Amino acid sequence: MTKIIKSGNISSIKKAAQIIKAGGLVVFPTETVYGIGANALDPKAVNRIFKAKGRPSDNPLIVHIDKMDWISKLCVDVPGMAYKLAYRYWPGPLTLVLKKSSVVPKNVTAGLDTVAVRIPNNKIALSLIRESKVPIAAPSANLSGKPSPTKAIHIIKHLDKRVDIIIDGGPTDIGLESTVLDLASKIPTILRPGKISLEELRMIMPNVKMAHPKSKIKSPGMKYRHYSPESKVILSSPEKIPMLIKRHANDKIAVIHTSKVKIPKNIESFYCKNLEILAHNIFDKFHEYDSKNFDLIIIESVEEKRIGTAIMDRLKKAASEIVN
Ligand code: TXA
Ligand code: MG
């Protein structure tokens, strides 16, 4: 079994940093979700990430740094806006896509001429990067296609023996992955919505836009099926939830809802009207319902505004059916 260390004393962080320096894989918490980290400057170590996750090699990784100084080493032609946003939001859940320098190995960026970077807002993540003395490439610590992990227990199920060590830092704060913002193209474009929303970024950059889901694929990760629990997921309007429960009477059903819908007492349900709290819990609920072998998760659609846009992005990718 992969060794799990309980959070943050410096000697355990130093041990994990030794593993990074030696080309190994360390699962660590960030404020968004857990990541599988490797030395971003070591292509062999980076290859191990792709193998451990079963990740297609054309899906690039985010490089996690602890200081702004790394930007000028990893990136070229950095626009002023990148520094403005970095000063405003880092450490935090905003990933910037910038032109890469030759220091960044090709497999990190899946051959693209851009690299995604961020400073995570988590003490364990930051001290791991600092002690490793290298930037850490890290995708979310799930098997490719599965829901992202927000607790150490979610990781063990899928990645046991595939990584060298897991640092358990407790549940992550935000629960959804970072906003990915492309600053290398002419018009700043959100490639993946997150807690830092389009509405918020517009106040700083009035011309920022959301990547059109059907536009030419710029963020390679967006074309893959994602976030799917074993259970079937149906996204529904609140009015249709009772009908869906009846239609699937023979299934073991769980319902996640944000408005007041009457759910029969014998049906498992999670009611949460605050979208920040829903974001914090959604992947955890997916993992929980999977471990309890639910056949079907019915989830109420939320308004695609602010963090609701990020929640719906994940839910639409997880769902096999949308009922309005
Ligand atoms: O919150 C997060 O971002 C978490 C934590 C661990 O930091 N990481 C994460 O990584 O979600 P991952 O690999 O699961 O998702 C990275 C996303 C993918 O959609 C990928 O295609 C996109 O970022 N991406 C990475 N590099 C890119 C690049 N150079 N150009 C466009 N998209 C890129
Ligand atoms: Mg991921």
Side-chain angles (χ1 to χ4, degrees), residues 53 140 142 148:
K53 272 192 67 120
S140 49
N142 50 286
S148 295

Side-chain angles (χ1 to χ4, degrees), residues 32 55 59-60 62 64 114 116 118 139-140 177-178 191-192 219 221:
T32 57
R55 183 178 177 105
N59 192 0
I62 295 173
H64 297 70
T114 53
R118 79 179 190 104
S140 49
E177 306 86 344
S178 62
L191 302 179
R192 179 178 68 185
S219 186

